[in-house]
Amino acid sequence: MADTNTEVKKVTKGEKKTREAMKKLGLAPVNDIFRVTIKQKEGVLVVVAEPEVYASPSGETYVVFGDHSFDDIASRLQKAVPKGNVDDIVKAAMPTQPVAVKESEESEEIVAQAVDSFDYKGVSPKDVEVVMKETKASKEKVVEALLNNKNDLVSAVLELTTQ
């Protein structure tokens, strides 16, 4: 007698044909992949939460099956801007799982010295810091982008990430 707690996935005729075609093409199933994220232009992400992945023998081509969803980073940033709170902008753009970073007192002193000697050209240092965290761009590029976009954080982030 079968255990009623286990889920049995029904395979349709179309899925069977697709799997057979994958085998004929030499594509092998890849195990241990739990999420696939494809980044498109303008900050749109296509996310497949529980994918079924096949790879070519050369390893350069992948076929991904599964239910997908779209995640638009730009729209999350845009929603946070009217509030005018920099913390909301950072929270909207950051991934949901925080990354732990260990900093020493020496690194904080070095950063403080670097902040003091940099010419911000009238741009708020906090704005520069927020955009730098989001885009991983240099201070010079961030200041230039902020000046080009009249200190609009979202536009500066979009400019730096779509280049």
Side-chain angles (χ1 to χ4, degrees):
M1 196 166 171
D3 188 12
T4 58
N5 293 336
T6 60
E7 287 186 29
V8 178
K9 183 179 177 185
K10 291 186 178 182
V11 179
T12 64
K13 197 180 252 186
E15 286 181 77
K16 276 186 181 179
K17 287 183 179 183
T18 304
R19 287 194 178 120
E20 289 175 13
M22 294 294 141
K23 287 180 184 177
K24 286 182 183 177
L25 291 172
L27 299 175
V30 180
N31 298 326
D32 299 331
I33 296 181
F34 303 103
R35 177 182 168 149
V36 174
T37 304
I38 302 168
K39 183 177 180 182
Q40 295 181 332
K41 61 183 176 180
E42 298 180 13
V44 176
L45 298 176
V46 178
V47 179
V48 182
E50 295 177 9
E52 186 175 337
V53 180
Y54 290 87
S56 69
S58 66
E60 293 180 7
T61 305
Y62 296 91
V63 177
V64 180
F65 294 105
D67 294 330
H68 67 280
S69 62
F70 294 98
D71 187 13
D72 189 5
I73 295 172
S75 69
R76 283 194 290 165
L77 285 173
Q78 203 70 5
K79 288 177 185 175
V81 169
K83 296 176 186 173
N85 191 348
V86 174
D87 293 334
D88 292 339
I89 296 169
V90 173
K91 287 178 186 176
M94 296 301 273
T96 56
Q97 298 175 347
V99 178
V101 177
K102 217 178 205 183
E103 290 189 15
S104 66
E105 291 177 14
E106 294 174 5
S107 66
E108 290 176 6
E109 290 175 12
I110 293 170
V111 169
Q113 290 172 358
V115 168
D116 294 338
S117 64
F118 186 76
D119 180 23
Y120 288 96
K121 300 178 185 176
V123 177
S124 169
K126 283 190 174 189
D127 291 349
V128 172
E129 188 177 322
V130 168
V131 175
M132 282 179 63
K133 284 181 183 177
E134 294 306 313
T135 62
K136 309 286 191 267
S138 67
K139 281 186 184 180
E140 292 82 14
K141 288 184 180 181
V142 169
V143 169
E144 183 180 324
L146 284 167
L147 289 173
N148 290 345
N149 293 295
K150 300 176 184 174
N151 289 338
D152 183 18
L153 297 177
V154 175
S155 298
V157 168
L158 290 174
E159 177 183 322
L160 291 168
T161 57
T162 58
Q163 290 179 350

